[in-house]
Amino acid sequence: MLKPVRKLPGEKRIALVAHDNKKNEMIEWAIYNKTALAQHRLFGTGTTGTLVEEALGQTVTKFLSGPLGGDQQIGASIAEGKIDVLIFFWDPMEAQPHDPDIKALLRLAVAWNIPFACDRATADFLLTSPLMFSDYEIMTPDYSVYNKRLQNPSDTTTL
């Protein structure tokens, strides 16, 4: 069976997230990559999105602050196919009160097979890839068996 394919457009929808100790690094990275980022639509958690918008002079669609649900909003947008790329500078040296949300966000990026970076070097490699500026088809997992796992064999409705 062929796997479902989702087409990522040349103009990617990029979500930007950074923990407090990584916000300055995110801003420096965004300024360094201002020209490349200007070719895409940017999204971000509340504080990070505001800081990036101010630094770049480019509109950033903002979700709530990460600990207040922004990470979950971005995760939901990934699952809905509304975010194409995730750049998440997380702090591996400090515990976060919303660690379960962070883990869920990263799990969804993997589950829906979107490109994502968790550090500056990987973000640089990702953003400088020629694939970031052209249409690209990603193979999305077929979760139909999972979705039907509790369905009664005589029930023809879809969960």
Side-chain angles (χ1 to χ4, degrees), residues 36-104:
L37 290 171
Q39 298 177 55
H40 302 286
R41 291 176 49 203
L42 303 182
F43 297 79
T45 48
T47 308
T48 302
T50 298
L51 292 171
V52 169
E53 187 173 72
E54 290 171 0
L56 299 184
Q58 177 180 350
T59 300
V60 176
T61 301
K62 290 171 280 306
F63 294 99
L64 295 173
S65 175
L68 300 178
D71 295 332
Q72 291 183 345
Q73 289 177 304
I74 290 176
S77 294
I78 290 170
E80 294 170 347
K82 296 177 181 176
I83 295 291
D84 304 317
V85 176
L86 173 64
I87 307 293
F88 186 177
F89 288 6
W90 61 278
D91 185 355
M93 302 305 288
E94 188 168 319
Q96 302 294 325
H98 61 300
D99 271 337
D101 299 344
I102 296 162
K103 184 176 181 181

Side-chain angles (χ1 to χ4, degrees), residues 81-146:
K82 296 177 181 176
I83 295 291
D84 304 317
V85 176
L86 173 64
I87 307 293
F88 186 177
F89 288 6
W90 61 278
D91 185 355
M93 302 305 288
E94 188 168 319
Q96 302 294 325
H98 61 300
D99 271 337
D101 299 344
I102 296 162
K103 184 176 181 181
L105 175 58
L106 296 174
R107 186 183 68 75
L108 287 168
V110 172
W112 291 104
N113 193 29
I114 68 162
F116 74 99
C118 292
D119 58 59
R120 186 172 182 157
T122 307
D124 282 339
F125 272 81
L126 186 61
L127 197 61
T128 58
S129 168
L131 299 174
M132 282 295 293
F133 304 96
S134 61
D135 292 352
Y136 180 75
E137 291 184 347
I138 59 171
M139 302 297 277
T140 56
D142 182 357
Y143 291 120
S144 62
V145 172
Y146 178 81

